[in-house]
């Protein structure tokens, strides 16, 4: 075993687990990972919940009770997921307290079918906040054009937000603007800014998957040289933008009133191309004040053989920009890449949500 996870924590990066399930909670697995793997938070999404419901009988007792009551499948999904999120939030509460409310966070996503509907996203976010009723909850809102004003309004209500599905630098800058506006609104509404946290989930491996596909189609030596370089370069430049925004005077005013920065969160860090190192989206993206949310396989790989050598982001801004320039020169249209990935991401989460609803409908019928 390496000391990589401990080294990440000491470098100022928080380690969150990109998974949740009733089995993981009731067996004490999450609590164990907090102790052995330096896990300080949990993220969830519709795909994770669909997978959890499909495995074993951990949810059967609650599904039976919901079926006997004759609840709708939509309400049943909320009850099942809120139960898990509350349990995880309570498990992580000591971390929340020990880190002065920064970590110990658990994220729950709004219905992804609302990704293009601002007002309904706001209403759903507020409902989930009231339903779970834990201060260390984060509501996940997608960074679609329609999601941006929802992010501002939800933060303005004093609700912590995990902004998800960020792929482009331009959209990331818009997300940071939405965050600043939201914190200013929260201040105007009389909320304690120190209690509001936000992360901006910048997706990594999906960028390489899409760009590499396009590079292979181009097929030149220059294109081949750029395989596997887009995602890390994109993320490193995002951190450069983060440093600029959160060192400006506008932010300093909010910080003086207790606000903490919206941290970049590296999401989709499971390596999809087996020819790449299975820890590359961890070891190459080490930076203070960030979060890396890892699926179990990536967490285990990092614990086993990861090598952390300190900050691997800030010294590489020029290299990252050169890679992005080279991608453009060989014919990769990054604007088209990120638009495709955002649309695909929304569709994938909607598909998982629909699968979850279908699976739960069958279970309600079977177990009622």
């Amino acid at each position: 075993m390496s000391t990589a996870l401990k080294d990440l924590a000491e470098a100022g990066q928080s380690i969150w687990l990109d998974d949740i399930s009733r089995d993981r909670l009731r067996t004490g697995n999450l609590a164990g990972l907090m102790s052995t793997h330096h896990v300080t938070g949990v993220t969830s999404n519709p795909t994770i919940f669909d997978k959890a419901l499909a495995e074993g009988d951990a949810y059967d007792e609650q599904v039976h009770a919901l079926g006997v009551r004759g609840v709708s499948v939509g309400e049943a999904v909320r009850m099942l997921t809120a139960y898990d999120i509350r349990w995880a939030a309570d498990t992580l509460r000591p971390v929340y307290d020990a880190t002065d409310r920064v970590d110990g966070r658990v994220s729950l996503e709004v219905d992804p079918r609302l990704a293009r509907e601002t007002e309904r996203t706001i209403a759903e976010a507020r409902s989930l906040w009231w339903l779970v009723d834990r201060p260390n909850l984060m509501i996940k809102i997608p960074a679609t054009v329609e999601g941006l004003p929802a992010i501002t309004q939800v933060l303005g209500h004093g609700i912590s937000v995990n902004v998800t599905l960020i792929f482009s630098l331009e959209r990331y800058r818009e997300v940071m603007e939405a965050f600043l506006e939201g914190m200013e609104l929260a201040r105007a509404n009389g909320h304690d800014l120190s209690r509001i946290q936000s992360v901006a989930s910048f997706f990594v491996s999906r960028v390489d998957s899409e760009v590499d596909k396009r590079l292979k189609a181009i097929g030149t030596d220059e294109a081949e040289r750029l395989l596997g370089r887009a995602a890390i370069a994109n993320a490193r430049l995002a951190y450069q933008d983060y440093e600029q925004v959160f060192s400006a005077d506008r932010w300093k005013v909010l910080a003086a009133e207790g606000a903490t920065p919206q941290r970049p969160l590296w999401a989709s860090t499971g390596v999809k191309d087996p020819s790449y190192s299975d820890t590359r989206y961890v070891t190459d993206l080490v930076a203070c004040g960030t979060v890396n949310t890892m699926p179990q396989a990536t967490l285990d790989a990092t614990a086993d053989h990861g090598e952390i050598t300190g900050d691997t982001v800030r010294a590489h801004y020029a290299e990252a920009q050169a890679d992005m320039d080279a991608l453009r020169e060989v014919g990769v249209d990054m604007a088209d890449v990120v638009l495709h990935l955002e649309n695909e991401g929304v569709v994938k989460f909607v598909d998982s949500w629909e699968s979850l609803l279908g699976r739960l409908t069958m279970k309600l019928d079977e177990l009622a």
Side-chain angles (χ1 to χ4, degrees):
M1 298 290 285
S2 80
T3 62
L5 297 175
K6 177 176 179 289
D7 295 341
L8 279 176
E10 291 177 349
Q13 184 172 87
S14 297
I15 300 163
W16 291 4
L17 177 68
D18 191 26
D19 189 54
I20 192 170
S21 69
R22 189 74 52 89
D23 266 339
R24 192 183 284 280
L25 292 163
R26 71 181 183 181
T27 61
N29 174 268
L30 175 59
L33 291 175
M34 292 164 59
S35 174
T36 63
H37 285 60
H38 300 270
V39 169
T40 59
V42 166
T43 51
S44 68
N45 61 46
T47 304
I48 287 170
F49 277 119
D50 185 38
K51 180 175 178 288
L53 190 65
E55 297 177 346
D57 60 359
Y59 295 89
D60 286 1
E61 182 178 357
Q62 190 179 4
V63 172
H64 168 70
L66 292 168
V68 169
R69 288 176 54 210
V71 304
S72 69
V73 66
E75 183 182 353
V77 166
R78 286 183 176 84
M79 295 299 106
L80 291 171
T81 56
Y83 189 95
D84 282 3
I85 296 296
R86 274 194 299 272
W87 193 342
D90 290 344
T91 301
L92 283 156
R93 183 60 188 262
V95 176
Y96 172 81
D97 293 333
T99 60
D100 196 21
R101 301 187 287 265
V102 173
D103 276 320
R105 296 282 175 169
V106 185
S107 297
L108 176 61
E109 189 156 352
V110 298
D111 183 336
R113 296 173 300 180
L114 307 180
R116 308 293 182 186
E117 300 184 54
T118 302
E119 292 303 319
R120 292 186 67 192
T121 293
I122 296 168
E124 179 76 358
R126 298 185 75 188
S127 295
L128 292 175
W129 182 257
W130 295 325
L131 178 63
V132 174
D133 193 27
R134 294 295 186 272
N136 48 335
L137 173 67
M138 278 185 164
I139 301 297
K140 290 180 80 173
I141 299 175
T144 57
V145 170
E146 299 83 358
L148 294 172
I151 292 160
T152 294
Q153 291 299 317
V154 171
L155 287 165
H157 287 296
I159 297 172
S160 296
V161 174
N162 177 338
V163 184
T164 188
L165 288 179
I166 307 172
F167 296 97
S168 76
L169 296 173
E170 179 181 6
R171 183 56 52 81
Y172 177 46
R173 288 189 285 268
E174 292 173 339
V175 165
M176 288 189 286
E177 174 65 24
F179 168 74
L180 292 172
E181 291 179 358
M183 295 301 281
E184 289 163 349
L185 181 59
R187 179 184 59 192
N189 289 337
H191 292 289
D192 180 352
L193 300 189
S194 70
R195 295 185 175 275
I196 307 170
Q197 282 286 322
S198 184
V199 293
S201 296
F202 205 87
F203 279 53
V204 185
S205 67
R206 294 190 194 184
V207 173
D208 269 345
S209 296
E210 181 61 27
V211 171
D212 282 3
K213 181 172 64 176
R214 299 185 186 208
L215 289 170
K216 289 174 183 177
I218 294 168
T220 63
D221 289 344
E222 292 84 357
E224 292 287 329
R225 183 183 66 81
L226 292 167
L227 288 171
R229 300 189 68 84
I232 290 170
N234 200 38
R236 285 171 171 169
L237 292 176
Y239 191 78
Q240 183 179 42
D241 287 344
Y242 158 79
E243 286 196 308
Q244 292 171 353
V245 169
F246 291 100
S247 61
D249 289 343
R250 182 182 180 188
W251 168 249
K252 290 176 183 177
V253 172
L254 292 167
E257 299 188 30
T260 53
Q262 180 188 57
R263 290 181 292 172
L265 179 150
W266 311 132
S268 182
T269 56
V271 174
K272 295 177 173 57
D273 187 329
S275 68
Y276 296 151
S277 164
D278 55 2
T279 63
R280 71 192 311 259
Y281 300 128
V282 178
T283 58
D284 288 357
L285 290 174
V286 181
C288 185
T290 60
V291 179
N292 194 312
T293 182
M294 307 181 201
Q296 184 72 56
T298 303
L299 185 69
D300 290 342
T302 303
D304 180 67
H305 53 266
E307 295 183 9
I308 305 303
T309 57
D311 188 310
T312 51
V313 173
R314 299 174 70 191
H316 299 279
Y317 293 152
E319 176 188 347
Q321 187 60 59
D323 283 341
M324 298 303 281
D325 292 343
L327 287 165
R328 183 181 64 253
E329 289 169 4
V330 301
V332 175
D333 182 348
M334 284 302 295
D336 184 68
V337 167
V338 296
L339 178 61
H340 169 78
L341 288 171
E342 178 183 301
N343 291 334
E344 181 183 67
V346 171
V347 169
K348 283 183 175 180
F349 280 159
V350 169
D351 288 346
S352 293
W353 189 262
E354 297 287 358
S355 175
L356 174 60
L357 293 176
R359 192 182 314 280
L360 185 52
T361 298
M362 289 189 293
K363 278 187 170 287
L364 287 167
D365 291 341
E366 292 170 3
L367 298 172

